[in-house]
Amino acid sequence: MLTAQFNYLEGKSLAILNKEGKVIDEHLVPEIKDDELINMYKTMLLTRIADTKAMQYQRQGRMLTYAPNKGQEAAQIGSAAAIEERDWLVPAFREMGAWLYKGVPLNQVYLYWYGNEMGSKFPENIKMLPVSVPIASQLNHAAGIAMASNIKGEDEVTLAYVGDGGTSQGEFHEAINLAAVFNAPLVVVIQNNQYAISVPRAEQTKTKTLAEKAHGYGIPGIQVDGNDILAVYAATKEAVKRARSGQGPTLIEAVTYRLGPHTTSDDPTIYRDDKEVEDWTQKDPLIRFKKYLIDRNLWSEDEDAKQIEEYESFANKTFKEVENSKEVPLEDIFKYHYEKMPQNLMEQYEEYKEYLAKGGK
Ligand SMILES: Cc1ncc(C[n+]2csc(CCOP(=O)(O)OP(=O)(O)O)c2C)c(N)n1
Ligand SMILES: [Mg+2]
């Protein structure tokens, strides 16, 4: 078992590919079909391109605030690839790769960040919750879904995400404790991207790792190289198997790095060195996985160049469609929390209409 072999208390962390894309230990390589490996890589590439484009659209004044994913593609896609269609995915807000792997069309990703409620209304067959902006609140929803699966006798698993900062929220504790006590089929992936806005990981908690927090809940935990898609996949696959066979939750810490700003409203040069960003750029998860696939003759630089071109025009076309979609009705901002808009919300709606009528933006 990987959780036993890579014991966080002994300072061990699971890595399968080194930063040159070479396999560290053949025994650890998970069984993944060739077409799935390619699908994983292509989704990483689409995520990188769609993400880069989104930053540009925002800078051009064509999109609202945006939270970029650059550098975290392996943590997102390695985990999402380890669940089945019947399983639930519960994101925080920085999981574009997981959304795409789960089958959410890119236009919905863009609609969400464009401020259109329809971006959160996924096709019926996609078992995924929408973005959760209140940090860690999604974990209680995830624990609830997992507990419901047990009660209903269904063998589906819930995969939920949280950031390093999210582990300091009360809901992190509440959700994992509850899921552990009730043996709920929950897998929590912490995307430890080293920062919660400007707060560095070292100021987030006194524990050496985030994985070791599992100990306090009596559940297995593991730290993995979050920029190594094979390591993330292997650890998640094992955790999913454990959850599905009635052995309860697992906590996975994926050590990664946010190469971009927290959001388009943030300036990371104020709180971190260029040198640090440069060091992590060397550990880019995409380059590493591409090298691995090329070594295995599953991919080539030519195919890569063609795919990049195709995805760039796909992202541009998709975003133009989003821009040309119908104007977002004003009441959308107010109407989805309750079946019927309560009085206080009606008042705010009226006030907002007046504000706009007077030229407010
Ligand atoms: C309950 C709550 N408090 C504060 C915020 C403001 N906020 C938005 S993102 C963020 C940092 C989250 O850091 P982390 O969990 O590490 O996720 P990351 O942004 O790094 O993906 C904060 C404090 C919020 N959205 N919700
Ligand atoms: Mg973070």
Side-chain angles (χ1 to χ4, degrees), residues 14 21 26 76-77 79 82 92 94 105 130 139-141 180 192 220 319 322-323 328 341 358:
L14 172 66
E26 282 293 344
Q76 301 170 2
I77 293 159
S79 47
R94 201 188 298 282
L139 295 184
N140 273 339
H141 306 155
N192 172 10
F319 189 67
V322 166
E323 281 181 310
V328 183
M341 224 191 282
K358 284 185 194 148

PDB file of all heavy atoms in Angstrom, residues 14 21 26 76-77 79 82 92 94 105 130 139-141 180 192 220 319 322-323 328 341 358:
ATOM      1  N   LEU A  14       5.516  10.477  -2.172  1.00  0.00           N
ATOM      2  CA  LEU A  14       5.483   9.640  -3.378  1.00  0.00           C
ATOM      3  C   LEU A  14       5.805  10.436  -4.647  1.00  0.00           C
ATOM      4  O   LEU A  14       5.181  11.455  -4.925  1.00  0.00           O
ATOM      5  CB  LEU A  14       4.099   8.987  -3.533  1.00  0.00           C
ATOM      6  CG  LEU A  14       3.830   8.236  -4.836  1.00  0.00           C
ATOM      7  CD1 LEU A  14       4.720   7.003  -4.971  1.00  0.00           C
ATOM      8  CD2 LEU A  14       2.357   7.823  -4.944  1.00  0.00           C
ATOM      9  N   GLY A  21      11.165  13.703 -16.447  1.00  0.00           N
ATOM     10  CA  GLY A  21      10.177  12.780 -17.011  1.00  0.00           C
ATOM     11  C   GLY A  21      10.620  11.325 -17.005  1.00  0.00           C
ATOM     12  O   GLY A  21      10.025  10.474 -17.657  1.00  0.00           O
ATOM     13  N   GLU A  26      10.193   1.666 -11.466  1.00  0.00           N
ATOM     14  CA  GLU A  26       9.231   1.018 -12.377  1.00  0.00           C
ATOM     15  C   GLU A  26       8.062   0.362 -11.635  1.00  0.00           C
ATOM     16  O   GLU A  26       6.941   0.325 -12.136  1.00  0.00           O
ATOM     17  CB  GLU A  26       9.931  -0.052 -13.230  1.00  0.00           C
ATOM     18  CG  GLU A  26      10.732   0.499 -14.400  1.00  0.00           C
ATOM     19  CD  GLU A  26       9.887   1.146 -15.503  1.00  0.00           C
ATOM     20  OE1 GLU A  26       8.661   0.908 -15.524  1.00  0.00           O
ATOM     21  OE2 GLU A  26      10.451   1.911 -16.312  1.00  0.00           O
ATOM     22  N   GLN A  76      -4.547  18.310 -10.554  1.00  0.00           N
ATOM     23  CA  GLN A  76      -5.978  18.294 -10.876  1.00  0.00           C
ATOM     24  C   GLN A  76      -6.360  17.089 -11.733  1.00  0.00           C
ATOM     25  O   GLN A  76      -7.325  16.371 -11.440  1.00  0.00           O
ATOM     26  CB  GLN A  76      -6.350  19.576 -11.635  1.00  0.00           C
ATOM     27  CG  GLN A  76      -6.051  20.838 -10.846  1.00  0.00           C
ATOM     28  CD  GLN A  76      -6.183  22.104 -11.682  1.00  0.00           C
ATOM     29  OE1 GLN A  76      -6.530  22.067 -12.858  1.00  0.00           O
ATOM     30  NE2 GLN A  76      -5.916  23.240 -11.073  1.00  0.00           N
ATOM     31  N   ILE A  77      -5.586  16.868 -12.799  1.00  0.00           N
ATOM     32  CA  ILE A  77      -5.989  15.842 -13.768  1.00  0.00           C
ATOM     33  C   ILE A  77      -5.577  14.440 -13.304  1.00  0.00           C
ATOM     34  O   ILE A  77      -6.309  13.473 -13.515  1.00  0.00           O
ATOM     35  CB  ILE A  77      -5.451  16.203 -15.168  1.00  0.00           C
ATOM     36  CG1 ILE A  77      -6.174  17.475 -15.626  1.00  0.00           C
ATOM     37  CG2 ILE A  77      -5.655  15.079 -16.173  1.00  0.00           C
ATOM     38  CD1 ILE A  77      -5.486  18.257 -16.705  1.00  0.00           C
ATOM     39  N   SER A  79      -5.669  13.341 -10.356  1.00  0.00           N
ATOM     40  CA  SER A  79      -6.689  12.880  -9.397  1.00  0.00           C
ATOM     41  C   SER A  79      -8.025  12.625 -10.100  1.00  0.00           C
ATOM     42  O   SER A  79      -8.648  11.578  -9.918  1.00  0.00           O
ATOM     43  CB  SER A  79      -6.839  13.886  -8.255  1.00  0.00           C
ATOM     44  OG  SER A  79      -6.927  15.212  -8.771  1.00  0.00           O
ATOM     45  N   ALA A  82      -8.532   9.380 -11.845  1.00  0.00           N
ATOM     46  CA  ALA A  82      -8.571   8.153 -11.041  1.00  0.00           C
ATOM     47  C   ALA A  82      -9.979   7.803 -10.555  1.00  0.00           C
ATOM     48  O   ALA A  82     -10.162   6.808  -9.865  1.00  0.00           O
ATOM     49  CB  ALA A  82      -7.613   8.296  -9.846  1.00  0.00           C
ATOM     50  N   ALA A  92     -13.060  23.057  -5.464  1.00  0.00           N
ATOM     51  CA  ALA A  92     -13.015  24.346  -4.768  1.00  0.00           C
ATOM     52  C   ALA A  92     -13.253  25.376  -5.886  1.00  0.00           C
ATOM     53  O   ALA A  92     -14.371  25.470  -6.381  1.00  0.00           O
ATOM     54  CB  ALA A  92     -11.679  24.531  -4.069  1.00  0.00           C
ATOM     55  N   ARG A  94     -10.187  26.256  -8.100  1.00  0.00           N
ATOM     56  CA  ARG A  94      -9.001  26.291  -8.977  1.00  0.00           C
ATOM     57  C   ARG A  94      -8.754  24.874  -9.504  1.00  0.00           C
ATOM     58  O   ARG A  94      -7.716  24.278  -9.234  1.00  0.00           O
ATOM     59  CB  ARG A  94      -7.797  26.784  -8.167  1.00  0.00           C
ATOM     60  CG  ARG A  94      -6.666  27.351  -9.022  1.00  0.00           C
ATOM     61  CD  ARG A  94      -5.420  27.638  -8.199  1.00  0.00           C
ATOM     62  NE  ARG A  94      -5.614  28.631  -7.162  1.00  0.00           N
ATOM     63  CZ  ARG A  94      -5.660  29.958  -7.345  1.00  0.00           C
ATOM     64  NH1 ARG A  94      -5.510  30.446  -8.545  1.00  0.00           N
ATOM     65  NH2 ARG A  94      -5.860  30.777  -6.321  1.00  0.00           N
ATOM     66  N   PRO A 105     -17.818  20.908 -20.633  1.00  0.00           N
ATOM     67  CA  PRO A 105     -17.313  21.590 -21.828  1.00  0.00           C
ATOM     68  C   PRO A 105     -16.629  22.918 -21.476  1.00  0.00           C
ATOM     69  O   PRO A 105     -17.031  23.589 -20.517  1.00  0.00           O
ATOM     70  CB  PRO A 105     -18.579  21.850 -22.669  1.00  0.00           C
ATOM     71  CG  PRO A 105     -19.710  21.175 -21.975  1.00  0.00           C
ATOM     72  CD  PRO A 105     -19.284  20.842 -20.586  1.00  0.00           C
ATOM     73  N   PRO A 130     -20.843  22.713  -8.424  1.00  0.00           N
ATOM     74  CA  PRO A 130     -20.224  23.930  -8.977  1.00  0.00           C
ATOM     75  C   PRO A 130     -19.110  24.470  -8.081  1.00  0.00           C
ATOM     76  O   PRO A 130     -18.868  23.942  -6.993  1.00  0.00           O
ATOM     77  CB  PRO A 130     -21.395  24.915  -9.040  1.00  0.00           C
ATOM     78  CG  PRO A 130     -22.412  24.402  -8.099  1.00  0.00           C
ATOM     79  CD  PRO A 130     -22.195  22.931  -7.934  1.00  0.00           C
ATOM     80  N   LEU A 139     -16.166  21.030   1.415  1.00  0.00           N
ATOM     81  CA  LEU A 139     -15.821  19.735   2.019  1.00  0.00           C
ATOM     82  C   LEU A 139     -16.978  19.157   2.828  1.00  0.00           C
ATOM     83  O   LEU A 139     -17.155  17.942   2.876  1.00  0.00           O
ATOM     84  CB  LEU A 139     -14.566  19.868   2.891  1.00  0.00           C
ATOM     85  CG  LEU A 139     -13.280  20.223   2.142  1.00  0.00           C
ATOM     86  CD1 LEU A 139     -12.097  20.226   3.102  1.00  0.00           C
ATOM     87  CD2 LEU A 139     -13.005  19.269   0.983  1.00  0.00           C
ATOM     88  N   ASN A 140     -17.754  20.010   3.454  1.00  0.00           N
ATOM     89  CA  ASN A 140     -18.924  19.482   4.165  1.00  0.00           C
ATOM     90  C   ASN A 140     -19.954  18.946   3.172  1.00  0.00           C
ATOM     91  O   ASN A 140     -20.613  17.940   3.442  1.00  0.00           O
ATOM     92  CB  ASN A 140     -19.553  20.552   5.067  1.00  0.00           C
ATOM     93  CG  ASN A 140     -18.898  20.575   6.444  1.00  0.00           C
ATOM     94  OD1 ASN A 140     -18.276  19.591   6.858  1.00  0.00           O
ATOM     95  ND2 ASN A 140     -19.018  21.682   7.150  1.00  0.00           N
ATOM     96  N   HIS A 141     -20.084  19.610   2.037  1.00  0.00           N
ATOM     97  CA  HIS A 141     -21.007  19.092   1.017  1.00  0.00           C
ATOM     98  C   HIS A 141     -20.505  17.723   0.552  1.00  0.00           C
ATOM     99  O   HIS A 141     -21.291  16.785   0.386  1.00  0.00           O
ATOM    100  CB  HIS A 141     -21.090  20.042  -0.183  1.00  0.00           C
ATOM    101  CG  HIS A 141     -21.440  21.448   0.184  1.00  0.00           C
ATOM    102  ND1 HIS A 141     -21.093  22.525  -0.585  1.00  0.00           N
ATOM    103  CD2 HIS A 141     -22.101  21.955   1.259  1.00  0.00           C
ATOM    104  CE1 HIS A 141     -21.515  23.634   0.000  1.00  0.00           C
ATOM    105  NE2 HIS A 141     -22.129  23.313   1.114  1.00  0.00           N
ATOM    106  N   ALA A 180     -14.746  10.452   8.406  1.00  0.00           N
ATOM    107  CA  ALA A 180     -13.925   9.375   8.976  1.00  0.00           C
ATOM    108  C   ALA A 180     -14.757   8.532   9.949  1.00  0.00           C
ATOM    109  O   ALA A 180     -14.772   7.300   9.876  1.00  0.00           O
ATOM    110  CB  ALA A 180     -12.711   9.961   9.684  1.00  0.00           C
ATOM    111  N   ASN A 192      -1.734  21.671  -2.465  1.00  0.00           N
ATOM    112  CA  ASN A 192      -0.827  22.558  -1.734  1.00  0.00           C
ATOM    113  C   ASN A 192       0.014  23.312  -2.752  1.00  0.00           C
ATOM    114  O   ASN A 192       1.070  22.845  -3.187  1.00  0.00           O
ATOM    115  CB  ASN A 192       0.047  21.745  -0.769  1.00  0.00           C
ATOM    116  CG  ASN A 192       1.134  22.596  -0.142  1.00  0.00           C
ATOM    117  OD1 ASN A 192       1.138  23.831  -0.278  1.00  0.00           O
ATOM    118  ND2 ASN A 192       2.070  21.955   0.534  1.00  0.00           N
ATOM    119  N   PRO A 220      -5.982   7.088   6.569  1.00  0.00           N
ATOM    120  CA  PRO A 220      -4.708   7.127   5.839  1.00  0.00           C
ATOM    121  C   PRO A 220      -4.493   8.468   5.147  1.00  0.00           C
ATOM    122  O   PRO A 220      -5.455   9.125   4.737  1.00  0.00           O
ATOM    123  CB  PRO A 220      -4.867   6.018   4.785  1.00  0.00           C
ATOM    124  CG  PRO A 220      -6.093   5.261   5.138  1.00  0.00           C
ATOM    125  CD  PRO A 220      -6.938   6.129   5.988  1.00  0.00           C
ATOM    126  N   PHE A 319     -14.502  31.144 -26.532  1.00  0.00           N
ATOM    127  CA  PHE A 319     -14.685  32.372 -25.752  1.00  0.00           C
ATOM    128  C   PHE A 319     -15.520  33.395 -26.518  1.00  0.00           C
ATOM    129  O   PHE A 319     -16.346  34.100 -25.925  1.00  0.00           O
ATOM    130  CB  PHE A 319     -13.343  32.968 -25.313  1.00  0.00           C
ATOM    131  CG  PHE A 319     -13.538  34.089 -24.346  1.00  0.00           C
ATOM    132  CD1 PHE A 319     -14.056  33.834 -23.072  1.00  0.00           C
ATOM    133  CD2 PHE A 319     -13.268  35.404 -24.689  1.00  0.00           C
ATOM    134  CE1 PHE A 319     -14.284  34.864 -22.172  1.00  0.00           C
ATOM    135  CE2 PHE A 319     -13.490  36.445 -23.791  1.00  0.00           C
ATOM    136  CZ  PHE A 319     -13.995  36.169 -22.518  1.00  0.00           C
ATOM    137  N   VAL A 322     -19.023  32.614 -26.030  1.00  0.00           N
ATOM    138  CA  VAL A 322     -19.464  33.031 -24.689  1.00  0.00           C
ATOM    139  C   VAL A 322     -19.741  34.538 -24.688  1.00  0.00           C
ATOM    140  O   VAL A 322     -20.759  35.000 -24.161  1.00  0.00           O
ATOM    141  CB  VAL A 322     -18.406  32.637 -23.629  1.00  0.00           C
ATOM    142  CG1 VAL A 322     -18.649  33.333 -22.304  1.00  0.00           C
ATOM    143  CG2 VAL A 322     -18.386  31.129 -23.438  1.00  0.00           C
ATOM    144  N   GLU A 323     -18.838  35.282 -25.308  1.00  0.00           N
ATOM    145  CA  GLU A 323     -19.044  36.740 -25.378  1.00  0.00           C
ATOM    146  C   GLU A 323     -20.310  37.105 -26.150  1.00  0.00           C
ATOM    147  O   GLU A 323     -20.973  38.085 -25.841  1.00  0.00           O
ATOM    148  CB  GLU A 323     -17.847  37.402 -26.081  1.00  0.00           C
ATOM    149  CG  GLU A 323     -16.651  37.563 -25.202  1.00  0.00           C
ATOM    150  CD  GLU A 323     -15.503  38.251 -25.932  1.00  0.00           C
ATOM    151  OE1 GLU A 323     -15.166  37.821 -27.063  1.00  0.00           O
ATOM    152  OE2 GLU A 323     -14.940  39.211 -25.380  1.00  0.00           O
ATOM    153  N   VAL A 328     -26.402  38.561 -19.594  1.00  0.00           N
ATOM    154  CA  VAL A 328     -26.821  37.888 -18.361  1.00  0.00           C
ATOM    155  C   VAL A 328     -27.941  38.720 -17.715  1.00  0.00           C
ATOM    156  O   VAL A 328     -27.746  39.903 -17.447  1.00  0.00           O
ATOM    157  CB  VAL A 328     -25.637  37.771 -17.373  1.00  0.00           C
ATOM    158  CG1 VAL A 328     -26.047  37.017 -16.123  1.00  0.00           C
ATOM    159  CG2 VAL A 328     -24.444  37.125 -18.049  1.00  0.00           C
ATOM    160  N   MET A 341     -37.532  34.478  -4.313  1.00  0.00           N
ATOM    161  CA  MET A 341     -36.684  35.539  -3.753  1.00  0.00           C
ATOM    162  C   MET A 341     -37.311  36.118  -2.487  1.00  0.00           C
ATOM    163  O   MET A 341     -38.439  36.597  -2.527  1.00  0.00           O
ATOM    164  CB  MET A 341     -36.542  36.658  -4.804  1.00  0.00           C
ATOM    165  CG  MET A 341     -35.127  37.168  -4.943  1.00  0.00           C
ATOM    166  SD  MET A 341     -35.039  38.663  -5.934  1.00  0.00           S
ATOM    167  CE  MET A 341     -35.186  38.038  -7.584  1.00  0.00           C
ATOM    168  N   LYS A 358     -29.187  54.947 -12.454  1.00  0.00           N
ATOM    169  CA  LYS A 358     -28.493  56.225 -12.242  1.00  0.00           C
ATOM    170  C   LYS A 358     -27.096  56.222 -12.864  1.00  0.00           C
ATOM    171  O   LYS A 358     -26.271  57.088 -12.579  1.00  0.00           O
ATOM    172  CB  LYS A 358     -28.385  56.489 -10.732  1.00  0.00           C
ATOM    173  CG  LYS A 358     -29.701  56.964 -10.130  1.00  0.00           C
ATOM    174  CD  LYS A 358     -29.481  57.311  -8.664  1.00  0.00           C
ATOM    175  CE  LYS A 358     -30.815  57.447  -7.959  1.00  0.00           C
ATOM    176  NZ  LYS A 358     -30.697  57.030  -6.549  1.00  0.00           N
TER     177      LYS A 358
END
